[in-house]
Amino acid sequence: MTAMSRPVLLDCDPGHDDAIAIMLAAADPGIDLRLVTTVAGNVTLENTTRNALRVLDMVDRPDIPVAAGCDRPRVRALSTAASMHGDSGLAGPELAEPSRSALDAPAIEVIEQFLIDADEPLTLVATGALTNMADVVERLPHLRDRIDQLVIMGGAVDLGNWTPAAEFNIWVDPHAADVVFRAARVPGTGRPDDGIALTMIGLEVTHRAWLADEHADALRGTGRAGRWVAELLDHFVGFHQDRFGWEGGPIHDAVTIAHLIDPTLVTTLPMNVRIETESPLCIGRTVADRWQVTGLPANAAVGLDIDRDRFVTLLMDRLSSLA
Ligand code: BDR
Ligand code: CA
């Protein structure tokens, strides 16, 4: 952390790539990670919360509190991605018991207090389903001017990954995503009263942000945390090689933090984005008006591309620096 570092609250569902996002945030001097909140998604809330605590143990950051949020989506039943992340959510390395517990208060109350107490507007990052963020929108409208921006990993302009139409995080809780996108504005435009400045980092970007076996091997010798990430990657990269025939595994969630560290990495375009909440075939789709055919105003900056080489260099540098 430096005098100029950006204060960040990270809402997540670890998850391999969430874990790496937390580690990147903890390792980068430009990010002041103040709070981690958890949501049900990749696995149950109990497990995502335990995993967030484990990751913070691994980077030796007992000072960063963890608060558990919503244990299920707003309307739909919880569907997890244990097939990808394992039943624990962090298949691969041996998992120690967390050294501490989450805070007693629910995430929304803790987020509220952090927003009230902060000396400057806070940046929110969400790398899981948007259930907690929908609560922020609906329950904390009076604190909008305390939120600098919201960066999410979720959605896709083109193909989905969990269904042909939908990306996993949005598909898990489309009703929450709908609340968030309806309350959003393009960063750099309007004022807090007009909505929360929203950047959507979707699959067009994150499918290019992959690490492969060689990266796991390079990290394996760098220290305790590096070895742990290598073992996470052994599982996660292997899953994507077997399931999709890809060379590597996309580290989706880490791109949100990388975007904050270096805003020149991801190319974005303002678009109108609406969320499909009803169609059985397309539920969870981020209907992004790439070609401005609807005439509806843009409500988010949507990522379209990433400088992969520089992303990988940044990520490997920060992960290697962890003890
Ligand atoms: C997203 O789904 C989850 O499995 C990952 O953690 C990531 O946030 C990618 O679609
Ligand atoms: Ca995630």
Side-chain angles (χ1 to χ4, degrees):
M1 197 204 319
T2 68
M4 295 296 289
S5 57
R6 175 193 293 278
V8 169
L9 309 189
L10 174 52
D11 186 63
C12 57
D13 64 338
H16 294 71
D17 50 333
D18 303 83
I20 295 173
I22 295 171
M23 294 172 103
L24 174 59
D28 190 88
I31 301 288
D32 172 13
L33 182 59
R34 294 194 179 175
L35 172 69
V36 173
T37 55
T38 53
V39 67
N42 279 329
V43 285
T44 62
L45 181 70
E46 190 188 347
N47 279 357
T48 59
T49 305
R50 285 162 61 78
N51 290 343
L53 292 161
R54 284 177 167 129
V55 176
L56 291 168
D57 278 349
M58 190 49 65
V59 295
D60 203 14
R61 292 299 300 270
D63 56 306
I64 300 174
V66 173
C70 298
D71 67 355
R72 68 196 69 181
R74 292 199 146 198
V75 177
R76 308 183 81 193
L78 175 64
S79 294
T80 68
S83 58
M84 178 185 294
H85 296 276
D87 288 336
S88 70
L90 290 179
E94 199 173 308
L95 298 176
E97 278 303 302
S99 66
R100 59 188 165 121
S101 306
L103 300 175
D104 265 345
I108 185 67
E109 288 177 17
V110 181
I111 292 171
E112 178 177 24
Q113 204 54 52
F114 270 73
L115 290 172
I116 290 170
D117 292 346
D119 39 3
E120 61 183 295
L122 302 180
T123 293
L124 305 182
V125 175
T127 61
L130 292 172
T131 323
N132 294 338
M133 294 299 105
D135 280 357
V136 168
V137 168
E138 289 188 341
R139 293 174 55 179
L140 308 178
H142 53 293
L143 294 174
R144 287 275 167 89
D145 63 344
R146 310 303 300 147
I147 299 172
D148 179 58
Q149 59 175 314
L150 169 61
V151 180
I152 69 159
M153 188 284 131
V157 176
D158 296 324
L159 302 177
N161 61 353
W162 211 253
T163 75
E167 181 279 331
F168 179 75
N169 288 339
I170 306 296
W171 178 83
V172 167
D173 195 344
H175 301 90
D178 188 42
V179 167
V180 171
F181 277 85
R182 281 179 192 275
R185 69 183 156 98
V186 176
T189 69
R191 297 188 337 224
D193 283 351
D194 304 323
I196 297 176
L198 176 65
T199 300
M200 167 181 137
I201 307 279
L203 298 175
E204 282 69 30
V205 176
T206 66
H207 277 170
R208 294 176 192 174
W210 47 273
L211 295 182
D213 292 333
E214 73 202 73
H215 303 104
D217 291 340
L219 288 167
R220 217 176 300 277
T222 60
R224 185 176 79 121
R227 190 168 63 248
W228 200 71
V229 175
E231 289 168 8
L232 285 174
L233 289 174
D234 290 342
H235 170 88
F236 198 63
V237 169
F239 174 88
H240 286 85
Q241 288 169 342
D242 296 346
R243 171 70 179 81
F244 301 108
W246 294 348
E247 190 177 340
I251 315 300
H252 305 276
D253 295 339
V255 180
T256 56
I257 302 294
H259 170 67
L260 293 173
I261 296 169
D262 180 353
T264 69
L265 285 176
V266 175
T267 311
T268 63
L269 200 65
M271 284 182 217
N272 180 269
V273 182
R274 287 175 294 165
I275 309 297
E276 175 57 59
T277 57
E278 283 171 23
S279 151
L281 201 55
C282 297
I283 192 163
R285 177 154 189 78
T286 41
V287 181
D289 187 7
R290 168 75 175 84
W291 304 115
Q292 299 173 357
V293 294
T294 64
L296 294 169
N299 58 348
V302 177
L304 287 176
D305 200 0
I306 185 169
D307 185 330
R308 175 179 179 260
D309 288 348
R310 287 202 295 123
F311 167 76
V312 170
T313 301
L314 170 75
L315 183 58
M316 291 295 288
D317 178 77
R318 299 305 188 271
L319 293 175
S320 309
S321 75
L322 291 163

